[in-house]
Amino acid sequence: DKGTYEYYMLKEIDEQPVAIRRMLDKYFGDTGEILIGDQILNDIKAADRIYIVAAGTSYHSGLIGARIFESWSGIPTEVHVSSEFAYEQPLLSENPFFIFLSQSGETADSREVLQNVNRAGFKSLTMTNVEKSTLWREATYALPLMAGPEIAVASTKAYIAQVTLQAILAYALSDRIDLDLEQELSKIAVDIQAIVDDKAVFEKVANELLVPAHSAFYIGRGADADVSLEAALKLKEISYVQAEGFPAGELKHGTLALIEDGTPVIALLTQPKTAGLVRGNIAETQARGANAYTITTKALAEPGDTGYVLPDVDPLLAPLLSVVPTQLLAYYTSLGRGLDVDHPRNLAKSVTVQ
Ligand code: F6R
């Protein structure tokens, strides 16, 4: 039920703080212990490499997850697009563990990979929003995302839930990180609430910057490069503005040729390590006429920025915040162009063909 909302997508964006809180209730015990079965943890700890397999937005959440798994648990982690992995399987490590990310649990390409994994006798875990779905049933283990039904074709709260659950799992696999994840995630839920309460800001930016645009760029480095892919996918799928997400440093190796007077370039700037370099890349686009907008954190903001300032957050978890403005920008661009936000042309919610 959409209630007072015109479209499910905005309702689902607004539900993201609740989705995180539901996950905290489910996966953290009274004394802060993590409630994920020992068997799952032991099987993953015994692996020499994690392979995350997914499609679309779920693939993009896997890119973030891989950074967190490597950084917190120290287990090498690769992320693959399921439609590629199914037919061009890379050389596997000796003792792999597979994680399938899927909102619907029905994506045919991911299922194809899981069937190969099962035939080879490897262990797997599905993280999905739909309990008892195909990927849920066919994997060795399954953990629910509990984001509640996602109706809009454009996935939003499932991405947030997938990043959150991967972080919780990575945290459970590590015994040496100096972070209170439960507290950090509670704060992130509050921070997301503040971002979604700023809807009017993004409606204005979408109308001025993106509604009239032919094309747009999202740029960033590290986790911001991953979020730029998701931001661009969201924008193109519901607003039909041709959008590219790009590692900021790669721009000058070709794509910079596409920047013209007024081209929107939205820079994600949440990673302290590379912020200075991204600043340089923004300047390169501005020198070619780009209309630059930054989505940055308080610590990295500079006077004179045209953009939105997020609260400070652990850099690995920054995608949980930075993706939200990009969801809202996509939503309001679609709305401003008079499109059916929930039902973009040519797309289905669940992709059950290979
Ligand atoms: C984009 C989107 C798709 C899905 C993809 C995978 O907004 O919704 O890219 O993420 O089709 O679907 P699931 O997660 O159901 O496997």
Side-chain angles (χ1 to χ4, degrees), residues 221 269 271-281 300 302:
R221 291 183 186 235
L269 253 171
Q271 305 295 308
K273 212 166 39 178
T274 49
L277 292 169
V278 178
R279 289 274 174 199
N281 300 132
L300 299 176
E302 282 181 6

Side-chain angles (χ1 to χ4, degrees), residues 55-58 101-105 107 153-155 162 233-234 237 351:
T57 289
S58 295
L101 303 174
S102 177
Q103 191 287 129
S104 64
T107 298
V153 163
S155 182
Q162 286 169 349
L233 174 60
K234 211 94 303 175
E237 79 172 316
V351 184

Side-chain angles (χ1 to χ4, degrees), residues 19-273:
I20 292 182
R21 283 197 201 99
R22 218 181 280 137
M23 200 148 284
L24 290 173
D25 285 346
K26 162 97 181 163
Y27 290 107
F28 285 87
D30 291 341
T31 56
E33 77 278 20
I34 291 182
L35 308 174
I36 291 180
D38 280 346
Q39 241 187 324
I40 303 184
L41 299 180
N42 290 339
D43 277 349
I44 302 179
K45 281 180 187 160
D48 59 359
R49 189 170 288 259
I50 297 171
Y51 290 82
I52 298 174
V53 180
T57 289
S58 295
Y59 168 71
H60 296 154
S61 82
L63 296 172
I64 305 297
R67 292 183 191 274
I68 305 177
F69 282 117
E70 291 205 333
S71 170
W72 290 356
S73 74
I75 305 172
T77 305
E78 293 180 15
V79 197
H80 292 270
V81 168
S82 50
S83 59
E84 285 297 307
F85 198 97
Y87 310 102
E88 300 285 344
Q89 188 177 293
L91 206 53
L92 298 179
S93 69
E94 226 161 273
N95 194 14
F97 186 92
F98 287 83
I99 296 179
F100 291 86
L101 303 174
S102 177
Q103 191 287 129
S104 64
E106 300 297 344
T107 298
D109 291 314
S110 300
R111 186 181 182 212
E112 182 74 24
V113 179
L114 179 51
Q115 285 178 329
N116 295 340
V117 163
N118 284 341
R119 268 193 293 274
F122 298 130
K123 297 220 167 114
S124 59
L125 161 67
T126 290
M127 295 183 181
T128 179
N129 206 24
V130 182
E131 296 187 29
K132 312 217 168 52
S133 57
T134 305
L135 292 170
W136 172 287
R137 285 184 277 106
E138 293 181 352
T140 320
Y141 305 107
L143 293 172
L145 296 170
M146 298 191 313
E150 195 182 67
I151 311 289
V153 163
S155 182
T156 53
K157 61 182 181 174
Y159 171 96
I160 289 283
Q162 286 169 349
V163 172
T164 303
L165 184 51
Q166 289 177 96
I168 294 171
L169 179 60
Y171 191 76
L173 290 167
S174 99
D175 33 34
R176 54 197 165 82
I177 67 157
D178 183 24
L179 174 83
D180 182 342
L181 183 64
E182 191 179 12
Q183 203 186 348
E184 190 75 14
L185 288 172
S186 307
K187 181 180 174 297
I188 284 171
V190 173
D191 292 343
I192 294 179
Q193 187 60 52
I195 300 168
V196 298
D197 288 344
D198 267 345
K199 286 184 183 65
V201 171
F202 301 108
E203 180 169 20
K204 186 159 181 285
V205 175
N207 282 323
E208 288 173 4
L209 189 68
L210 297 171
V211 169
H214 302 288
S215 64
F217 292 87
Y218 276 99
I219 62 171
R221 291 183 186 235
D224 288 335
D226 301 339
V227 176
S228 80
L229 298 179
E230 172 56 12
L233 174 60
K234 211 94 303 175
L235 183 61
K236 59 190 145 187
E237 79 172 316
I238 59 170
S239 79
Y240 315 153
V241 172
Q242 183 150 18
E244 265 194 88
F246 235 79
E250 270 293 288
L251 271 187
K252 55 182 163 302
H253 298 289
T255 312
L256 202 53
L258 291 174
I259 307 291
E260 331 177 331
D261 227 19
T263 304
V265 173
I266 303 175
L268 301 165
L269 253 171
T270 68
Q271 305 295 308
K273 212 166 39 178

